[in-house]
Amino acid sequence: MAKTRPARGDTLQGSLGNLHPLLDDLSRITSTQAIPLEQLMKALDSVRFQVDKYKKSKVTKKRKVNDVNDDHDEGYKVDLWIKNEMDEIGVKIWNTTSEVERMFGKKTGEDKQLIASLRQTSFRLLEASTDSKLHLGLVIRLLRAASEAVSSLAQANQMATAEELALLGAEYQQTISSSSAPDEIGEADKLHAILHFLLARVDLEISKTNDNLALSFMVKASNLDSDGTMDPVEYQEMAIKCWSIAQELLSRLKATKAVPFTTTPIEWLQQGLLIIEKVKERSAHALLLDKIRTTILQTIAQAHFKNASDDPHALQNAINSLDEIIKMTDPMDHHTATRIRQIQIHLLSKRTATNDHATVRKAFEELLKNSRWSEETVNELFAQLQVLNANHPEIPLNLAQIILHHAMAQDEGRPYVPRIVYEGVFLARQCAVTQPQAGYNGVLSMLDALVMNGSEKLLDRTRITAIQMILNSVAGKAYESKGSFEDAARWYLLAAHSALLSDQSDIPSRGRRKAVLCYIRFGDLTSAEKELTQCPGGEASTQYLAFLIAERRDDIDKAKAAIINIMACQDVHPGQILLITSLAEKKGSKVLLFAALQTLFNALQRPGLKEGLKVESFTVIRSMIRIIRLQFDGTAEKEVLGETIVGILDSAIALFRQSPEEYGSQAKGISWLFRIAYNVAVEQLANLSAKVLSDLFDRSAQLIDWYRDFNPAGLDSNLEKIRASTMFACFCGKTFQYRDLPDGENKLLLRTQLIQYYAIVKQAIPPEDDGKSNKMRDLLEIYHIELLCDASNWELVGRFIATFKSTNLADSDRSIRRLEMVVNLLLDNPNCPPNLIHDTLDTIIKTCVIIHEAEVVRFSRWIRGIITILLPENGREEQIAVKSYLSRVYKVLQTTLGSQNYPHDEMQWLIATTWSRGLDDYHHSRLNDARSWFGLCLKLADCMPEGVINMPSLKKQYSQLFSGRNPSR
C-alpha cells in the first residue's frame, strides 16, 4: 500500500507551510511597524530547527536493483519535493530580506535580529536543498548566502552562529579557489563571491574587536583582482566599507576610555584611498569615486585634527589631506567645495602660532566664490569667523570686511548687508577686548564703506539700533572698566557715524554727547568742544556738557551762560540739576561752582518755570552750603563764609514761607539743613563772631520748627532737646554780640529783643531735672539778669534773686553758684543798689556749707566782698554785721580744713582791714570799740599757721596803744 505525504504539523513540511504565507505578507508590507515580528521569528526558528532535524535524520541508503518497489519510489519523490520547497523558500527569503533591509533604513536591535534570522534561515534552507556533489555555481550561491548571513549575524551580536557559518564559508571559498570552473562560470562571479565573503569576515572580526585581523581581510579583498577583471563597483563598495569602519571605530573610541583596538581609523581611511587609486583610472564612475575619495580625505583630516593634542604632526597632516582634495583635477561640486573650505579654515584657525594670514584669507575668499547668497550661507560664513576668532581675533574682522564688499558688489548679496554689518560689529566687540585699535578700525572701515557705496540706506532702524547698542556697550566698558576715556569717545562716535543715522532715533546725538563727556574726562577739551558743536544746542544735555567744559576751563562767565541755557531748554529735567549740584562733592573751582549754583538758584525762582523744577531749589541750596563748608579750612575769611551760609539758610526759609505745600515732602533735607547749620556753628566757635554764630543757631532753630511742621508724625525723641540747645546757643550768642555793641539804638533794640526771646527759650528747655537742662536754665537766668541790670530794672532783678533765695533752692550748691554769678553781675554794675548786693552776699555766706578746700577759698572771697560793702557805711548796724561775719570766719578757722586752706592773702587783707578799723576808733577815742576790733584781729591771726601774720608785731602795737591808758575811757 503506498505512503501518503505527511500532514501539516510539527514537521519540516508543516514549518515551511506555516512560513510561506508569512513571507507572502512580508513581501507586501510597506511599513516596518506592520511586521508580525514575534510570529515571524517563531516561524523562522521552527524552520531552522526542522531543517537541522531533517539533515540529521536523512540516511543515504544504497539502492538495490532487486529491491525497487513502489515504496522506495514514493520516498524519493517526497524527498525531492521537500528539497525543491526548501530551495524555493530559501531564495524567496533571500530576495525578500534585501527588500525589507532597504525598508528598515537605520536598524534597531530587533530589526537586526530579524534580518539575521532571515539571512540565517535562507542559508540553512539553501544548504539543505543543495546536493552534496556541488556544482560550482551552487557553491558560489551558498558562499554568497553564507556571506550575507555572517554579516547579519555579526551585526546582531550572534557571534557563535556567525563563526560557525564563517567556517562553512571558508570551505566554500576554498572549493571555489581550487576549482577549475567550466567556461560558463566566469572569473568575475568567483571574485565577486569571494570578495563578499572576505568583507563578511571583516564585519565579523570588527564586531569581535579583532580589527587588526579585519584589516588583513580587507587588504586581502583589495588584492583579489590581479588582472583587472573585477567590477569597479566592487572597489567602491570596499572603499565605502573602509570609511564606515573608520567611523565605527571613532564612535567606539568616544564611547569608552579603554578600547582594545590595534588599528586606527586613519589606517582604514588610508586603505580606502589605496583601493580607489587602484581602479580610478579605468572606472566609468570616476566622479563617484572622487566624491568617495573626497569624503575619506575629509574624514582623515578630521581624524588628524582630533589627534592634534597627542601628535604634534597631526594638525599639519590634516591640512595636507585637505590640500589633496583641493588639488584634485576634477572640479568639486558646490556643497563639497564649501564643506572643504570650511574644514580648511577651521584647521588653519588652530595654528595658534601661525602668522600666515594670507593663507587663511585665500581660503576664505575661495569659500566666498563657492557660496551662494542665502541666510544659511551668511550663518555659515560667520560661524567660520567665530571659529577663527578663538586664536586669531584680528583675522575675522578683516574677513568680515571682505564679506561686506562681496555682498555690496552683488545684487543678490545686498539684502544681506545689514546682517553682515551687524555680525562684523559683533566680531569687533570681541576683538576690542584684546586689540581695541583693530576693533575700532574694522568697524570704521565697514561704516565708511557703506557710505562710499551708498549702501547705508539698506540698514533698517532695528538693525541700526542693534549696532549702536553694541558700539555703546564697547564704549561703556572702555569708560568704566579700563578708564580709557579716549578709546571710549571714539567708540561712542562710531555710534553717531553717518552710516547709522535714523530720523526717528536720538542714539547718534546721545553717543556724540557721551563722546564729549569722555573727552572732558580725558582732558581733551578742544576735541570735546569740536564734537559738542555738532550736538543739538536746544537740548539741556548739550548745555550741561558746555557747563562741564566751562568748569574745567574755570570760565565763570561761560559756566553761568550754560546754566541759563540749560534752564531755557524745553527738555530740562531735575536730573540735569542734580548733575550740576553733585559737582559740589568733587574737586574743582569752588568759586566757579558756587557762582554757577547761585545762577541756577536764581533761574529756578523765575515765574512760569516747568512744573517740578522749582523744588530743586532746595537741592541747589544744599549744594551751595556744601561748597562753602569745604572752604573753611582753606581761607582766613571765615566770617564771610559764615555770613554766606546764613544768607543761604535765609533763602531756604523764604522758600518754605512762600510755598510750604511744595516743600512739605522735603523733611529729610530740612533735617540735614538744621543739623548742618548747628554743626558749622559748633565747628567754627573760635573763628566766627558772636553775631554770625548766633545767626547760625537761630536759623537752625527756625529750620527745626519748619521740620516739625512738615513732619509731625516722624519727630525724633531728641528733637526737642536739640531745639532747646539751638535756641539757647542763639540766645547766648546774641548776648555776647550785645556786649560787644557800642551804646546806641542798635544795642537797645537787641536788648529788648533778647528780653522778649528769653521767655521763648525758657519754655523750650525741657523740664527734665538733669545736668544739661539745669545748666542751660541757670545760664539763661544769669544772662537775663545781666540784661535787666543793664536796663536798671532793679526791681525785677530783686524778684529773680528772691527766687534764688527760696527755701527749696537755698540749701543747694546749685543755688549758691547761681547767687555767686548774680552777685558778680551786681558788683560789676556801678548803678546797682548796695542793699541788693548785700542781701545777695549775705544769703551766700549764710548758706555756704564748707566741706572741701574750694569752698573755703570761695567763702573767703565773699567775706571780703560783703565787708568791703559794709565798712564804708560806718553805721552801728553795719559794724555789728561786720563783726558777725568775722566771727563766722573765726569759726571756719577753728576747723582744720579752714586753718589750712584759708587763702593767706585774704586773711592778710582781713587782718589789715580790721586792724585799720580799730585804729580809726582808737584815734577817735572810741577805745572800747577799738579793743573789740583789735581783739578780733588777734583771735583770727592766732588761728593761722605761723608766719602768715606777724603776731609779735600786732601784740607789740596793741601793748603800746593801751599801756598807761585808763581803761574807763
Side-chain angles (χ1 to χ4, degrees):
M1 186 172 143
K3 292 183 179 180
T4 60
R5 183 180 298 178
R8 287 182 177 240
D10 193 12
T11 62
L12 178 57
Q13 295 94 323
S15 298
L16 293 173
N18 289 333
L19 180 59
H20 210 289
L22 291 174
L23 293 175
D24 291 338
D25 293 340
L26 185 61
S27 64
R28 292 191 294 269
I29 289 174
T30 58
S31 172
T32 57
Q33 295 179 350
I35 296 175
L37 186 62
E38 185 177 355
Q39 185 180 2
L40 184 57
M41 290 292 286
K42 286 182 179 180
L44 293 169
D45 287 344
S46 177
V47 168
R48 289 197 303 275
F49 176 76
Q50 293 299 332
V51 168
D52 187 55
K53 185 177 178 183
Y54 166 78
K55 288 170 62 179
K56 290 178 180 179
S57 64
K58 186 173 177 292
V59 179
T60 306
K61 299 180 180 180
K62 284 186 176 183
R63 288 186 63 186
K64 296 181 180 180
V65 176
N66 58 351
D67 199 24
V68 177
N69 53 43
D70 293 338
D71 287 342
H72 180 80
D73 291 340
E74 184 65 24
Y76 177 78
K77 292 178 181 178
V78 170
D79 187 56
L80 184 60
W81 177 85
I82 289 174
K83 287 185 176 182
N84 290 335
E85 184 78 3
M86 287 191 293
D87 187 80
E88 178 185 345
I89 293 179
V91 173
K92 185 173 184 178
I93 293 175
W94 188 344
N95 295 331
T96 303
T97 303
S98 298
E99 295 297 327
V100 172
E101 201 166 13
R102 281 192 291 270
M103 182 170 56
F104 274 130
K106 187 176 181 180
K107 304 181 192 68
T108 64
E110 289 184 344
D111 299 339
K112 292 178 181 178
Q113 293 294 333
L114 176 59
I115 297 299
S117 183
L118 287 168
R119 294 291 189 193
Q120 182 187 0
T121 304
S122 173
F123 171 74
R124 288 303 187 188
L125 288 171
L126 293 175
E127 179 195 26
S129 66
T130 303
D131 195 355
S132 58
K133 295 180 179 180
L134 298 176
H135 183 272
L136 188 58
L138 295 177
V139 177
I140 291 174
R141 185 180 75 160
L142 283 176
L143 182 57
R144 293 182 62 189
S147 300
E148 297 286 354
V150 168
S151 292
S152 299
L153 288 166
Q155 292 179 22
N157 204 28
Q158 298 181 29
M159 299 303 173
T161 306
E163 288 178 358
E164 179 186 346
L165 296 188
L167 291 175
L168 287 173
E171 294 177 4
Y172 299 149
Q173 178 190 352
Q174 182 62 31
T175 301
I176 296 171
S177 299
S178 61
S179 172
S180 298
D183 294 340
E184 62 268 17
I185 303 298
E187 190 65 26
D189 291 334
K190 289 195 273 185
L191 289 178
H192 178 80
I194 294 173
L195 172 66
H196 278 270
F197 177 65
L198 291 175
L199 294 181
R201 294 297 302 271
V202 170
D203 290 338
L204 176 59
E205 298 307 324
I206 286 294
S207 298
K208 293 166 59 180
T209 65
N210 293 331
D211 52 301
N212 196 45
L213 182 57
L215 183 59
S216 69
F217 281 127
M218 179 60 74
V219 173
K220 187 180 292 186
S222 65
N223 292 331
L224 282 176
D225 188 16
S226 59
D227 54 2
T229 58
M230 188 183 294
D231 190 340
V233 175
E234 306 287 0
Y235 283 92
Q236 293 175 18
E237 183 178 348
M238 284 190 287
I240 291 172
K241 181 170 283 292
C242 287
W243 179 86
S244 300
I245 291 173
Q247 294 296 100
E248 184 176 352
L249 293 183
L250 286 170
S251 64
R252 290 191 190 183
L253 285 169
K254 289 180 181 178
T256 178
K257 294 181 179 178
V259 181
F261 289 152
T262 56
T263 60
T264 63
I266 292 179
E267 289 181 78
W268 287 90
L269 295 169
Q270 289 173 338
Q271 181 61 33
L273 288 178
L274 291 174
I275 292 170
I276 292 176
E277 290 300 325
K278 286 185 177 182
V279 74
K280 185 174 183 295
E281 297 300 328
R282 59 188 178 82
S283 175
H285 304 279
L287 181 58
L288 177 59
L289 287 173
D290 279 345
K291 289 183 178 180
I292 298 173
R293 182 170 181 264
T294 299
T295 302
I296 292 176
L297 283 170
Q298 287 183 43
T299 310
I300 289 175
Q302 292 170 341
H304 278 304
F305 173 68
K306 290 176 182 177
N307 294 334
S309 59
D310 301 322
D311 183 359
H313 304 293
L315 190 60
Q316 186 58 48
N317 291 337
I319 294 174
N320 293 340
S321 298
L322 289 181
D323 289 340
E324 287 297 319
I325 301 173
I326 296 169
K327 293 175 183 177
M328 291 170 63
T329 54
D330 293 335
M332 291 181 286
D333 62 272
H334 163 72
H335 177 77
T336 302
T338 301
R339 178 63 181 156
I340 293 300
R341 292 299 180 183
Q342 289 173 342
I343 297 174
Q344 184 187 24
I345 293 169
H346 182 74
L347 292 176
L348 289 171
S349 70
K350 296 304 177 182
R351 284 178 164 178
T352 55
T354 185
N355 291 318
D356 191 7
H357 296 178
T359 303
V360 179
R361 179 167 179 161
K362 181 179 178 182
F364 203 83
E365 288 177 338
E366 291 297 326
L367 178 62
L368 280 176
K369 289 179 183 178
N370 289 283
S371 299
R372 298 185 181 90
W373 289 108
S374 67
E375 195 68 32
E376 182 181 1
T377 298
V378 176
N379 291 340
E380 291 178 351
L381 289 173
F382 280 98
Q384 291 299 310
L385 295 188
Q386 286 295 343
V387 170
L388 280 169
N389 196 52
N391 294 316
H392 310 284
E394 71 284 1
I395 299 179
L397 194 54
N398 180 264
L399 297 179
Q401 298 173 50
I402 295 174
I403 297 173
L404 177 62
H405 285 287
H406 271 266
M408 290 190 301
Q410 303 172 35
D411 291 340
E412 62 272 19
R414 292 177 68 81
Y416 302 99
V417 165
R419 167 75 186 283
I420 294 168
V421 175
Y422 173 80
E423 294 291 350
V425 172
F426 190 84
L427 286 170
R429 183 177 71 173
Q430 296 173 304
C431 180
V433 174
T434 56
Q435 301 183 40
Q437 186 63 46
Y440 169 80
N441 290 340
V443 177
L444 181 62
S445 176
M446 285 190 290
L447 297 181
D448 286 346
L450 282 175
V451 175
M452 292 178 64
N453 187 263
S455 299
E456 71 276 10
K457 296 178 181 179
L458 296 173
L459 301 181
D460 58 275
R461 184 186 179 190
T462 302
R463 191 68 73 179
I464 288 175
T465 302
I467 292 171
Q468 289 170 331
M469 288 177 65
I470 293 176
L471 297 175
N472 285 331
S473 173
V474 176
K477 287 182 179 179
Y479 182 88
E480 296 170 5
S481 302
K482 301 179 181 179
S484 182
F485 300 121
E486 188 176 25
D487 286 343
R490 294 192 302 167
W491 282 95
Y492 278 127
L493 289 176
L494 283 179
H497 195 280
S498 57
L500 302 176
L501 296 180
S502 175
D503 295 339
Q504 300 177 337
S505 174
D506 62 345
I507 293 179
S509 58
R510 281 192 283 136
R512 195 175 296 279
R513 279 195 291 264
K514 287 181 179 179
V516 172
L517 182 60
C518 291
Y519 280 129
I520 293 173
R521 293 291 302 274
F522 182 63
D524 186 356
L525 300 182
T526 301
S527 296
E529 285 180 322
K530 176 183 175 182
E531 296 299 333
L532 191 62
T533 58
Q534 300 184 54
C535 298
E539 295 181 3
S541 298
T542 300
Q543 295 302 326
Y544 170 72
L545 293 173
F547 167 75
L548 287 184
I549 294 173
E551 188 267 336
R552 287 295 182 96
R553 293 192 184 281
D554 200 19
D555 191 330
I556 294 179
D557 292 336
K558 285 189 176 181
K560 289 181 178 180
I563 293 292
I564 294 172
N565 291 337
I566 289 174
M567 298 306 297
C569 293
Q570 294 297 317
D571 64 337
V572 64
H573 58 83
Q576 268 110 15
I577 297 175
L578 290 174
L579 286 172
I580 296 171
T581 57
S582 66
L583 293 174
E585 308 286 347
K586 302 175 183 178
K587 295 181 180 180
S589 172
K590 300 304 178 185
V591 175
L592 180 145
L593 289 173
F594 188 77
L597 290 173
Q598 280 184 315
T599 304
L600 180 58
F601 180 81
N602 294 334
L604 288 169
Q605 311 314 308
R606 293 181 306 191
L609 201 65
K610 186 177 179 180
E611 185 177 355
L613 286 180
K614 187 174 183 179
V615 72
E616 297 302 328
S617 300
F618 190 58
T619 306
V620 176
I621 283 174
R622 292 172 62 183
S623 295
M624 287 195 290
I625 290 177
R626 286 193 185 99
I627 291 176
I628 296 299
R629 193 182 183 190
L630 290 172
Q631 296 181 68
F632 270 105
D633 293 337
T635 181
E637 299 180 356
K638 293 180 173 58
E639 186 76 3
V640 176
L641 298 178
E643 290 175 348
T644 303
I645 290 181
V646 172
I648 296 171
L649 295 173
D650 286 340
S651 298
I653 294 170
L655 290 176
F656 304 151
R657 289 198 184 101
Q658 294 170 8
S659 308
E661 67 286 344
E662 191 169 4
Y663 294 94
S665 61
Q666 301 294 320
K668 186 175 181 180
I670 297 173
S671 172
W672 182 87
L673 267 187
F674 77 69
R675 295 177 194 278
I676 205 69
Y678 183 88
N679 291 337
V680 169
V682 172
E683 291 167 2
Q684 303 300 325
L685 278 175
N687 301 318
L688 299 177
S689 66
K691 178 182 182 306
V692 175
L693 288 171
S694 58
D695 284 344
L696 286 170
F697 285 125
D698 175 57
R699 303 315 187 265
S700 179
Q702 290 187 55
L703 289 165
I704 290 175
D705 289 339
W706 282 107
Y707 177 76
R708 294 198 306 174
D709 292 343
F710 289 156
N711 190 34
L715 297 179
D716 191 322
S717 58
N718 293 322
L719 186 64
E720 292 303 318
K721 293 181 181 179
I722 296 173
R723 178 173 179 266
S725 298
T726 305
M727 296 176 70
F728 172 74
C730 173
F731 187 90
C732 294
K734 288 297 181 183
T735 301
F736 300 150
Q737 179 189 350
Y738 166 79
R739 291 174 182 173
D740 296 336
L741 287 175
D743 293 336
E745 292 184 2
N746 290 337
K747 187 169 185 176
L748 179 61
L749 177 61
L750 181 56
R751 185 176 68 198
T752 302
Q753 292 173 341
L754 282 170
I755 291 173
Q756 294 173 349
Y757 191 45
Y758 157 78
I760 300 173
V761 178
K762 183 179 181 181
Q763 186 179 6
I765 296 174
E768 289 89 348
D769 189 16
D770 56 41
K772 184 176 181 179
S773 297
N774 289 336
K775 286 181 181 179
M776 285 195 296
R777 275 191 286 268
D778 292 348
L779 287 173
L780 184 67
E781 298 290 357
I782 299 305
Y783 291 151
H784 184 218
I785 290 174
E786 178 183 349
L787 295 170
L788 293 176
C789 289
D790 282 2
S792 297
N793 193 341
W794 304 115
E795 181 180 355
L796 191 53
V797 170
R799 291 179 192 172
F800 276 103
I801 294 174
T803 61
F804 294 171
K805 294 164 59 178
S806 62
T807 304
N808 60 331
L809 291 175
D811 295 333
S812 67
D813 187 60
R814 175 189 167 201
S815 177
I816 293 175
R817 287 198 303 272
R818 295 167 72 189
L819 288 169
E820 288 175 343
M821 288 187 287
V822 170
V823 81
N824 281 327
L825 292 174
L826 299 178
L827 290 171
D828 288 341
N829 194 305
N831 299 320
C832 178
N835 65 311
L836 197 59
I837 299 174
H838 176 267
D839 289 347
T840 305
L841 288 172
D842 183 66
T843 301
I844 293 173
I845 293 170
K846 288 178 179 179
T847 57
C848 184
V849 179
I850 299 174
I851 58 176
H852 50 74
E853 177 185 349
E855 290 176 337
V856 174
V857 176
R858 189 169 62 184
F859 173 79
S860 70
R861 299 287 188 268
W862 297 130
I863 286 293
R864 175 192 277 215
I866 199 167
I867 289 176
T868 302
I869 294 172
L870 292 175
L871 281 179
E873 297 295 328
N874 204 26
R876 177 56 59 180
E877 293 182 0
E878 286 78 13
Q879 292 183 35
I880 293 171
V882 170
K883 291 178 180 179
S884 68
Y885 292 131
L886 293 175
S887 298
R888 170 82 174 174
V889 172
Y890 180 73
K891 290 181 180 180
V892 171
L893 294 176
Q894 290 294 105
T895 66
T896 303
L897 182 67
S899 64
Q900 292 181 355
N901 295 290
Y902 205 96
H904 296 171
D905 59 334
E906 291 295 336
M907 178 55 67
Q908 290 167 354
W909 177 86
L910 197 61
I911 295 297
T913 300
T914 307
W915 189 270
S916 296
R917 183 62 186 173
L919 288 175
D920 184 68
D921 284 342
Y922 180 86
H923 291 310
H924 287 85
S925 300
R926 296 190 290 272
L927 297 181
N928 290 332
D929 290 335
R931 285 192 180 94
S932 176
W933 291 110
F934 292 149
L936 285 171
C937 282
L938 292 173
K939 284 175 62 177
L940 294 173
D942 192 47
C943 295
M944 296 301 293
E946 186 177 352
V948 176
I949 303 297
N950 191 350
M951 283 294 292
S953 177
L954 290 178
K955 288 180 180 181
K956 182 178 180 181
Q957 290 185 50
Y958 183 80
S959 298
Q960 291 175 350
L961 289 172
F962 290 102
S963 63
R965 285 278 190 174
N966 189 342
S968 61
R969 292 185 63 188

